[in-house]
Amino acid sequence: MAKESFDKEIQFLRMLVLTSGAYSRQQFAERLGISVHTFDKTLRRLKDIVGTMYQQLPQEQSKEFAEAIRFNYYESADPMLLFLFRAKSLKGSESVRYSLLLAALNDQALTAMELMDYCCGSLPADIPLPDEKTIRSDLKYLEEVGVIRKESASRPYRYRLDNDLVRELTEEELYDLYDFVDVMANTQIPSVQGYLLRDGLKKHLLRNQAEPLALDHFLYKYHYYSRILDEAHLFTLLDAIRHRRRVRFLYFSPKADKSYAAQNTNPLFERESEGKLEKTLPLKVVYDHQYGRWYLLASGREGIRKYRMEGMTQLEEEDAVAEQVFAEKAAALEERMRYSWLLDTGRPVTVRARFFNPGHFEPNFVRERVLLQGQWGQIVAEEEESFIYEIKVNGTTEIKPWLRSFGSSCEVLEPLYFRREMIAEWKEIQAYYESV
């Protein structure tokens, strides 16, 4: 997998989403730490992928790349997510070979040698012919990702498509499954695998003459498209945690001027990278739904470290550690995060806030929301018009947006410095709305 290229495309798309295409070519290239030529090359590749995805669209719906991201505002899976993860850094020759292998297995089970003969007879003249080792490597990869399976238990193995899911379900069951996957992929995290399954089901139903309108029951709108891009690293990190392995990556903090650096492949033109090379033991992955961000919590030489996953590039798994070492590190992290609203590991402080109930004739949605979202905090006093909520947390930074989201229905009481911070912020907001 050409991970370097994939990192570059992720950062490219994140910037495109966050800036709405406002950067010039030069500004994009500078922010990414690449040349304008490399920027243009990446843009052409992404345009080609978008064109492949929308080759069946009417000509009048054809879009330029920057507009393609807004193609269907509500259907966030297309093309912002799918075209990147489906194209996931496969080489051109690999894509052609995989397509031929799957086409050959569509109607019958075949051995590796039969598949090699089929590929050699069907590949375009400009693509080199594969050897047996290459075909077996391709089959192993397709088997690992669940696309094909061995039909026989003895050699020579015969392979077939692993499409029992769509073959054994009735049309009505497939519609029900599609609706379920559609809702879950668009409302839960992680989402990537659900989106890919959803898209595969949709194409299968359309091939069977399903009406397109029958598949568009629901519409969705997201505020944080970029959080889906971070899932490129999510499953690698979860695998490293599961197998107690360290990881290595080049990290760009949110404050860095650049968000990407090309790998140095020629020592004559090697240059200093603005990213920081990290080698650490991943312990936990956390998702912040308030800001749509993924975080990695890991243990290194400097103790517990937190990384924004959007700044991680060139991620690779390293050596494994002993189970006892991992357990000790994980226990230390849990102890430091005992009072974390999200992932803060600072000094614990007790926060007290008064919440005001809505009118007498309205449902008490304020109390219901506090009980639902207030984690381990408790309501310690109640009156007719209000109630007091108390919680012990590591610092006030992470709980502040939640308290602030209640607007005039919440008054921070303690600690005093936190109350003064909130007062100063509300005064600043009020100044924005003073008459001109």
Side-chain angles (χ1 to χ4, degrees), residues 79-134:
M80 184 61 217
L81 168 76
L82 286 184
F83 85 82
L84 176 64
F85 282 87
R86 179 169 291 115
K88 194 176 178 180
S89 59
L90 292 176
K91 298 176 182 176
S93 58
E94 290 175 332
S95 300
V96 175
R97 284 202 314 274
Y98 291 161
S99 299
L100 289 173
L101 291 172
L102 296 177
L105 295 173
N106 192 39
D107 298 318
Q108 57 185 327
L110 298 171
T111 65
M113 298 306 295
E114 289 171 335
L115 287 167
M116 186 174 74
D117 291 340
Y118 179 84
C119 276
C120 291
S122 305
L123 280 171
D126 58 336
I127 295 180
L129 298 179
D131 56 17
E132 182 182 349
K133 182 179 179 180
T134 301

Side-chain angles (χ1 to χ4, degrees), residues 30-59:
E30 289 177 357
R31 187 74 174 91
L32 285 169
I34 60 178
S35 66
V36 176
H37 170 75
T38 304
F39 169 85
D40 291 337
K41 183 179 176 181
T42 305
L43 183 59
R44 283 196 301 270
R45 169 172 162 75
L46 295 176
K47 281 185 176 181
D48 289 342
I49 299 169
V50 172
T52 301
M53 282 194 63
Y54 291 110
Q55 59 187 348
Q56 297 178 343
L57 288 177
Q59 185 64 33

Side-chain angles (χ1 to χ4, degrees), residues 122-374:
S122 305
L123 280 171
D126 58 336
I127 295 180
L129 298 179
D131 56 17
E132 182 182 349
K133 182 179 179 180
T134 301
I135 292 297
R136 292 192 182 279
S137 176
D138 291 344
L139 293 173
K140 182 180 179 181
Y141 169 75
L142 292 172
E143 188 179 9
E144 285 177 350
V145 297
V147 177
I148 64 174
R149 61 185 295 184
K150 291 188 180 85
E151 190 178 59
S152 55
S154 58
R155 297 178 182 272
Y157 298 124
R158 302 187 76 83
Y159 297 88
R160 70 172 181 86
L161 288 183
D162 191 2
N163 59 352
D164 294 345
L165 178 68
V166 296
R167 286 171 50 196
E168 296 180 2
L169 296 181
T170 66
E171 184 176 353
E172 184 176 351
E173 288 172 332
L174 285 172
Y175 275 112
D176 289 341
L177 177 62
Y178 175 83
D179 288 340
F180 174 78
V181 173
D182 184 38
V183 171
M184 296 302 290
N186 278 284
T187 58
Q188 303 296 314
I189 54 172
S191 304
V192 169
Q193 292 179 328
Y195 276 131
L196 296 175
L197 175 58
R198 164 190 176 275
D199 189 64
L201 288 169
K202 185 174 185 178
K203 288 184 176 179
H204 175 77
L205 290 168
L206 290 175
R207 280 196 298 267
N208 291 344
Q209 310 303 316
E211 290 291 332
L213 292 177
L215 302 175
D216 295 328
H217 295 306
F218 311 104
L219 297 177
Y220 305 93
K221 178 181 177 182
Y222 280 119
H223 297 292
Y224 303 114
Y225 294 100
S226 58
R227 58 99 175 164
I228 299 173
L229 297 173
D230 297 329
E231 290 190 25
H233 297 318
L234 176 62
F235 295 100
T236 302
L237 291 172
L238 293 179
D239 183 72
I241 293 172
R242 186 178 301 112
H243 295 98
R244 313 315 194 212
R245 290 184 176 275
R246 292 187 176 92
V247 294
R248 181 178 62 185
F249 53 88
L250 190 64
Y251 184 65
F252 295 84
S253 73
K255 297 180 181 178
D257 292 334
K258 289 181 172 57
S259 58
Y260 172 80
Q263 291 182 356
N264 293 314
T265 55
N266 188 334
L268 295 177
F269 296 94
E270 188 170 348
R271 56 185 176 183
E272 189 70 22
S273 169
E274 294 196 14
K276 184 179 180 182
L277 187 62
E278 300 279 357
K279 184 175 181 179
T280 188
L281 177 64
L283 300 173
K284 193 171 187 176
V285 174
V286 177
Y287 177 69
D288 179 3
H289 73 92
Q290 293 257 7
Y291 295 104
R293 294 172 182 158
W294 289 97
Y295 291 90
L296 169 66
L297 280 75
S299 175
R301 293 180 179 177
E302 302 172 0
I304 301 298
R305 290 288 307 274
K306 306 162 199 170
Y307 303 94
R308 290 250 291 266
M309 281 172 58
E310 66 189 65
M312 298 169 61
T313 63
Q314 303 178 24
L315 176 65
E316 296 179 4
E317 289 190 46
E318 293 277 321
D319 56 302
V321 301
E323 182 66 34
Q324 182 180 354
V325 173
F326 183 89
E328 290 173 357
K329 302 288 187 183
L333 174 64
E334 290 300 323
E335 178 61 27
R336 290 189 62 183
M337 291 186 63
R338 187 197 303 184
Y339 300 115
S340 296
W341 182 260
L342 181 66
L343 47 78
D344 197 340
T345 53
R347 182 178 300 175
V349 60
T350 300
V351 173
R352 288 171 60 91
R354 182 186 301 277
F355 289 88
F356 296 93
N357 298 320
H360 295 291
F361 301 104
E362 298 180 45
N364 197 342
F365 58 86
V366 174
R367 190 178 190 277
E368 290 177 2
R369 184 181 165 198
V370 170
L371 291 174
L372 178 66
Q373 301 176 352

